[in-house]
Amino acid sequence: MADIGYFEAWRMWLDGRSTLGNDMFGLPMLWWGRTGKIAAFVSGMTILLDIAGPERLASFADWLHALIQALWSRALVYSFSVGALVLAFGWVAIWDIVWSIDIPVPGLNVLKGVVVVVLLCLAPLAVAGAVLLVDKVCAKLPAVFAHPRVVHIRVVAAVLLIVGFHFDLLAS
């Protein structure tokens, strides 16, 4: 892979040649494009949240919080009746995946058993943590977009959109 400069990358792109397969500043062009896509996505989401406004965001946050609370209380009730069935299917799926790994290591069967148990315990905790994180973030969003200095967020979102699109285009 050749290490190309910024202007050389634009020259290649304008000549109709792909910049993929080259590095720019030590980073593959593929990653410049992916970074641009992520930046444009974050910018677009920020712009959409700003358009929605603090009132709608607060309404959505309240609705989401009520939904999570309702599902959480039901999850505690249903976990005793459905939990064994879910645990059995999860056990079989994880067991099958872990046991398909074939590495010649002494004591691997014990290690595989530990991996299965850990995955069965951590997966529900990860899902619960993600749900609670989304709930907390959604509760804070209305305050962010109601702040008097929200113009800074708008400027950063616009710059991210332009820069992200730019690098995504350059990596094509």
Side-chain angles (χ1 to χ4, degrees):
M1 286 195 239
D3 194 28
I4 59 176
Y6 177 76
F7 294 110
E8 186 178 351
W10 270 111
R11 257 185 257 117
M12 286 176 66
W13 188 88
L14 289 170
D15 289 340
R17 295 181 292 150
S18 175
T19 59
L20 294 176
N22 295 304
D23 291 353
M24 186 171 68
F25 307 120
L27 191 65
M29 289 304 293
L30 178 68
W31 285 102
W32 284 105
R34 289 178 178 175
T35 303
K37 284 177 178 54
I38 292 169
F41 174 77
V42 169
S43 169
M45 287 302 298
T46 304
I47 292 168
L48 289 176
L49 291 172
D50 189 31
I51 290 171
E55 297 82 21
R56 286 188 184 138
L57 291 175
S59 172
F60 175 75
D62 293 341
W63 173 82
L64 182 65
H65 184 72
L67 177 67
I68 289 171
Q69 292 300 319
L71 291 176
W72 187 262
S73 63
R74 287 188 183 139
L76 292 176
V77 172
Y78 291 126
S79 64
F80 293 106
S81 58
V82 180
L85 182 66
V86 170
L87 190 62
F89 279 116
W91 179 269
V92 169
I94 291 174
W95 187 270
D96 188 44
I97 291 168
V98 170
W99 240 258
S100 67
I101 301 170
D102 189 28
I103 305 170
V105 175
L108 184 64
N109 289 341
V110 173
L111 181 63
K112 286 180 178 181
V114 169
V115 167
V116 169
V117 171
V118 167
L119 286 175
L120 281 172
C121 293
L122 290 182
L125 289 176
V127 169
V131 167
L132 293 176
L133 179 67
V134 167
D135 185 33
K136 295 297 180 192
V137 168
C138 285
K140 299 290 182 191
L141 280 177
V144 170
F145 286 97
H147 196 276
R149 294 188 186 155
V150 75
V151 69
H152 299 312
I153 294 173
R154 292 177 182 140
V155 169
V156 169
V159 169
L160 268 180
L161 183 62
I162 293 166
V163 170
F165 175 78
H166 159 267
F167 280 115
D168 184 24
L169 184 69
L170 187 59
S172 65

